[in-house]
């Protein structure tokens, strides 16, 4: 099942929603149309129970995403910066990520090429990130005189603080390699670019084959308790097992369950 959007390709098959950023001529940078479409896409994914997991990937060979589509000449993404009152302005990428939209279905990001700046609105809320071995990660904000805040704040929850700070402060003078991203835990797997989409789909189908109430409960429990102290987090997590397990466990009868052939990573 494929649906038409202006900035992305959207398809659902076998409980996997595949979203492909489709502005390769603009390095898949996001504009207001893409932000609006993602807001609608996440609400659709949240409502449709046939969707169990989401894969996010990007068209073209050069970039996964280079952040905000900057208007020529003025150095600003004018279509995303409408309010004249500085205290009325919103985060332009707030609607891009699933967690901001209360979506607890797993997001698998498959990145390649340039992964820059605002692309991290997606990466910072992803559950699994795999990367082509040609990917480079960088943040251009400070090189253009802009405070880098929103993306590295989210990134600092995923990787060591020193790595997030170096990524944000060096700007355009350095790019993090895919190998370094794997080393510090930003991504969990490297593949050749030619194999990237296939591997992302393979992982998605593995996840999608499990009871969705167990998968979504796991995602929700982990993300919602990140800022809680350990005791409170454990109490919240226990509540989620009490809610979800009576629904999910009967969907996997132990007497007929066949263990999969596991692989070592």
């Amino acid at each position: 099942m494929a649906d038409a959007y202006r900035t992305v390709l959207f398809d659902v098959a076998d409980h996997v929603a595949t979203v492909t950023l489709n502005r390769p001529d603009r390095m898949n940078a996001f504009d207001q149309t893409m932000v609006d479409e993602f807001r609608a896409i996440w609400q659709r994914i949240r409502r449709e129970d046939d969707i169990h997991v989401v894969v996010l990937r990007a068209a073209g060979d050069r970039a996964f995403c280079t952040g905000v589509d900057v208007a020529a000449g003025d150095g600003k993404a004018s279509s995303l910066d409408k309010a004249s009152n500085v205290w009325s302005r919103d985060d332009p990428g707030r609607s891009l990520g699933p967690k901001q939209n209360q979506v607890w279905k797993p997001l698998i990001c498959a990145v390649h090429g340039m992964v820059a700046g605002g692309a991290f609105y997606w990466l910072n809320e992803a559950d699994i990130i795999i990367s082509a071995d040609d990917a480079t990660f960088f943040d251009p904000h400070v090189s253009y005189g802009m405070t880098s805040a929103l993306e590295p704040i989210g990134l600092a929850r995923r990787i060591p603080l020193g790595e997030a700070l170096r990524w944000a402060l060096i700007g355009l003078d350095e790019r993090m390699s895919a190998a370094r991203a794997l080393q510090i835990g930003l991504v969990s797997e490297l593949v050749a670019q030619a194999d990237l989409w296939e591997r992302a789909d393979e992982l998605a189908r593995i996840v999608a084959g499990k009871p969705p109430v167990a998968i979504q409960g796991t995602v929700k429990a982990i993300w919602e308790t990140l800022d809680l102290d350990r005791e409170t987090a454990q109490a919240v997590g226990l509540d989620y097992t009490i809610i979800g397990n009576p629904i999910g466990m009967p969907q996997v009868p132990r007497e007929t369950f066949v263990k999969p052939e596991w692989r070592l990573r």
Side-chain angles (χ1 to χ4, degrees):
M1 178 181 64
D3 290 276
Y5 293 92
R6 290 177 57 189
T7 65
V8 304
L9 304 176
F10 184 91
D11 181 76
V12 179
D14 300 324
H15 305 298
V16 176
T18 301
V19 184
T20 306
L21 306 181
N22 194 33
R23 304 185 75 222
D25 58 320
R26 302 296 299 164
M27 304 297 177
N28 294 310
F30 63 85
D31 58 6
Q32 186 63 53
T33 300
M34 185 180 285
V35 171
D36 294 340
E37 289 188 337
F38 262 95
R39 185 183 299 112
I41 285 169
W42 289 125
Q43 291 311 306
R44 173 179 177 176
I45 289 170
R46 187 182 185 195
R47 291 193 308 268
E48 293 189 11
D49 289 338
D50 186 58
I51 298 173
H52 295 180
V53 61
V54 183
V55 171
L56 179 64
R57 61 192 195 183
D61 295 328
R62 296 185 61 190
F64 171 77
C65 175
T66 55
V68 178
D69 189 358
V70 179
D74 65 1
K76 296 181 180 179
S78 57
S79 63
L80 289 165
D81 192 20
K82 297 177 180 178
S84 58
N85 183 340
V86 296
W87 304 115
S88 298
R89 294 177 185 172
D90 291 325
D91 176 358
R94 182 175 178 84
S95 297
L96 293 174
K99 303 334 185 261
Q100 295 277 4
N101 287 277
Q102 299 294 298
V103 174
W104 307 113
K105 298 174 183 181
L107 171 63
I108 298 174
C109 282
V111 303
H112 73 279
M114 291 182 285
V115 187
F120 280 76
Y121 281 110
W122 289 296
L123 271 61
N124 287 342
E125 295 194 11
D127 301 289
I128 297 174
I129 305 171
I130 66 171
S131 174
D133 52 18
D134 72 330
T136 58
F137 305 83
F138 60 100
D139 182 8
H141 283 90
V142 296
S143 292
Y144 293 121
M146 295 182 284
T147 297
S148 182
L150 302 172
E151 296 90 343
I153 287 171
L155 184 60
R157 299 162 68 99
R158 303 190 69 103
I159 66 174
L161 177 60
E163 292 287 350
L165 284 164
R166 178 168 177 155
W167 176 82
L169 294 173
I170 296 296
L172 289 171
D173 288 271
E174 181 177 89
R175 298 187 183 188
M176 184 192 302
S177 69
R180 182 61 177 167
L182 178 66
Q183 186 179 44
I184 65 175
L186 175 57
V187 306
S188 61
E189 186 174 345
L190 297 185
V191 298
Q193 184 174 345
D195 300 325
L196 181 65
W197 288 10
E198 181 180 357
R199 180 57 177 154
D201 186 68
E202 180 184 5
L203 291 170
R205 289 171 187 271
I206 291 172
V207 176
K210 296 172 174 59
V213 68
I215 293 296
Q216 292 171 44
T218 299
V219 172
K220 185 177 174 70
I222 293 171
W223 281 91
E224 284 198 336
T225 59
L226 282 177
D227 293 324
L228 302 179
D229 65 84
R230 182 177 177 82
E231 288 295 322
T232 304
Q234 295 281 22
V236 172
L238 178 60
D239 286 343
Y240 286 167
T241 67
I242 294 171
I243 294 169
N245 288 1
I247 302 171
M249 291 177 67
Q251 298 175 20
V252 188
R254 291 299 180 96
E255 60 273 12
T256 59
F257 179 73
V258 179
K259 291 184 179 180
E261 290 290 332
W262 58 269
R263 60 178 289 178
L264 187 65
R265 178 166 68 90

